[in-house]
Amino acid sequence: MSEDWELAEVLDLLSDEYARSILAATSVEPMSAKQLAEQCDASLPTIYRRVERLQEYDLLEERTRVDLTGSHHKMYSATLSEFSMDLEDGGYEGTIERVSRADFPGEDETDTADRFTEMWENL
Amino acid sequence: MLGTALLDWAIVTLAFGSTVVGSYVGYQAYRGFRRNRSRPMQFLAVGLFLLTAVSFVLAFVGSVLLRQGLLPLVYDRPLTLVTRAIQFLGVLFIAYSLHQRP
């Protein structure tokens, strides 16, 4: 995997409290911007700005979910699983490990269970 | 008689079909429980399995044993009672799942 990012920029991004909150929340379950605004106690524009920056570094992925009423909304989930920084031979090296697709086996099937759960819980 | 045999066969097939489909729904509920740590889904899954798989297996195995004479015929009605009790327990679980908060 070719890494095309600057260590300083990623450190800068991760130093942001909201960016970290977004990653933390979306590592548990996919969330919409509105849910994130509530969860992270931030305004929607703040959330969107952080989301955009996180997506630039491929730390957050976006999926479109269609709900029962037929409206579409974007759900975000964290792809970051580990970030580390090494100091060696007079230089820093950052490594980002992402959650691989294989960590979500049968994504389409699991959607059924998730949809079912959401539906049943909201009865 | 052919007619009776066909009817019996249709009854078993439909009961089996309900069990398979019911278990599939129960399985999705179980996955919903595992994936979302959802208590309602746990109760729903247990309820569906009791209602379909458990009661079907019990009734089916019981009727086979009764027909083969491995189980005395006096157990016929108690077996039906137990099967109905399990079905009742199943719907109780499902009803309870509606009132569980995630």
Side-chain angles (χ1 to χ4, degrees), chain A residues 35-91:
Chain A
Q35 286 174 302
L36 282 170
E38 236 167 73
Q39 184 95 13
C40 306
D41 201 18
S43 69
L44 269 178
T46 307
I47 295 296
Y48 280 121
R49 268 200 303 275
R50 300 309 188 283
V51 161
E52 205 174 297
R53 290 207 59 201
L54 287 166
Q55 282 182 310
E56 270 174 47
Y57 296 98
D58 206 11
L59 305 177
L60 195 69
E61 72 174 359
E62 176 183 305
R63 263 179 270 172
T64 305
R65 184 176 279 188
V66 183
D67 67 22
L68 289 168
T69 60
S71 59
H72 298 62
H73 48 248
K74 285 175 179 161
M75 304 292 281
Y76 301 99
S77 46
T79 50
L80 174 69
S81 80
E82 195 183 326
F83 170 73
S84 61
M85 192 175 85
D86 299 310
L87 172 60
E88 214 178 331
D89 299 328

Side-chain angles (χ1 to χ4, degrees), chain A residues 3 5 15 17 19-20 23 25 29 31 35-37 42 53-54 61 63 76 81 98 102 109-112 114 122-123:
Chain A
E3 292 287 0
W5 49 275
S15 73
E17 194 188 323
R20 288 200 310 272
L23 287 174
E29 56 179 343
M31 284 196 179
Q35 286 174 302
L36 282 170
R53 290 207 59 201
L54 287 166
E61 72 174 359
R63 263 179 270 172
Y76 301 99
S81 80
R98 294 178 179 84
E109 288 170 17
T110 54
D111 271 349
T112 308
D114 289 346
N122 288 314
L123 276 179

Side-chain angles (χ1 to χ4, degrees), chain A residues 8-27:
Chain A
E9 285 170 15
V10 172
L11 281 174
D12 192 34
L13 174 57
L14 292 176
S15 73
D16 182 82
E17 194 188 323
Y18 292 118
R20 288 200 310 272
S21 302
I22 291 171
L23 287 174
T26 56
S27 70

